Amino acid sequence: MLSKQERQIDFVGNIPFISVHIGGLLIFWVGFSWTALITCLLLWFVRMFGITAGYHRYFSHRTYQTTRFFQFILAVLGNASAQLGPLWWAAHHRHHHNYADTEQDIHSPIIHGGWWSHIGWVVSPQYSQTDERKIRDFAKYPELQYLNRFHMLVPILLAIAVTVIGILFQIYLPGLQTSGLQMLIWGFCLSTVLVYHSTFTINSLAHIVGYRRFNTSDNSRNNLFLALITLGEGWHNNHHYYPASERQGFYWWEIDITHYILTLLSWLGIVWNLRTPPQTIYDQSHS
């Protein structure tokens, strides 16, 4: 089990993380507008895609190929979610797959409990460093090193941009009934909180709630609701059985929005070589 030191929370270091949660609660103070809500949902969707298609399926598992330029775009989109840098995220995720639901898995709900797997490990200073030995293939790119080191830059610029847009709307399009502060709270703070906890449910709930199609050594499960709120990541048992696949919804009825978007991008030539499960994987399904 984790030691008391490992379970410590760095309150000072997590002031931005705590502040954005407090900011999300201010929606009741700044009021509602359809413009702010649409902005919130749009930025949740785009940044969720940055996590699923970028940080997870590309940087962590290399399940498809793309250009260096679009690789950087994916890193920026993931970075905008305020979940640290692409090298940090992918290195920790690769560690998770190597030790899923064992003592060495730092966010297993089976071993360490639901709260710790969902959010505790995120706010612990023990796991703030990037183990570049696990991510050598991408650590060679200086632009990714830069985003990894200055991981707060993109979120700060996004918060400023959303606020400025809200101010411009207030001045030039008063019919939209929004403001800079409202757009900051809804468009940045609330949407960031939604991206956080959508992502975190895969660490916590996707190893507890759902069904198991494949016999894996861990407790990963498939869950439609989690797939919907994470653009396809909820087919977690599929993913843990064959993580080399770009698509995580292995069957047509398993909704995987990230896969649909990447397929569209492949038709446009932006990404290519999307890896799929071989027939032998389907033959081993028991549901």
Side-chain angles (χ1 to χ4, degrees), residues 162-179:
V162 169
T163 305
V164 170
I165 290 171
I167 293 171
L168 293 176
F169 281 169
Q170 186 176 14
I171 296 173
Y172 297 107
L173 296 170
L176 295 179
Q177 299 180 329
T178 190
S179 67

Side-chain angles (χ1 to χ4, degrees), residues 1-2 7 99-114 116-117:
M1 297 299 289
L2 295 171
R7 287 186 178 270
Y99 302 103
D101 288 332
T102 69
E103 288 285 349
Q104 291 177 277
D105 182 359
I106 59 176
H107 52 64
S108 168
I110 308 301
I111 304 297
H112 307 301
W116 180 261
S117 66

Side-chain angles (χ1 to χ4, degrees), residues 5 33 39 47 63 86 109 116 134 146 160 227 279-280:
Q5 181 181 7
S33 75
T39 303
R47 293 189 289 168
T63 60
W116 180 261
K134 291 183 169 64
Y146 184 87
I160 294 171
Q279 184 57 46
T280 54

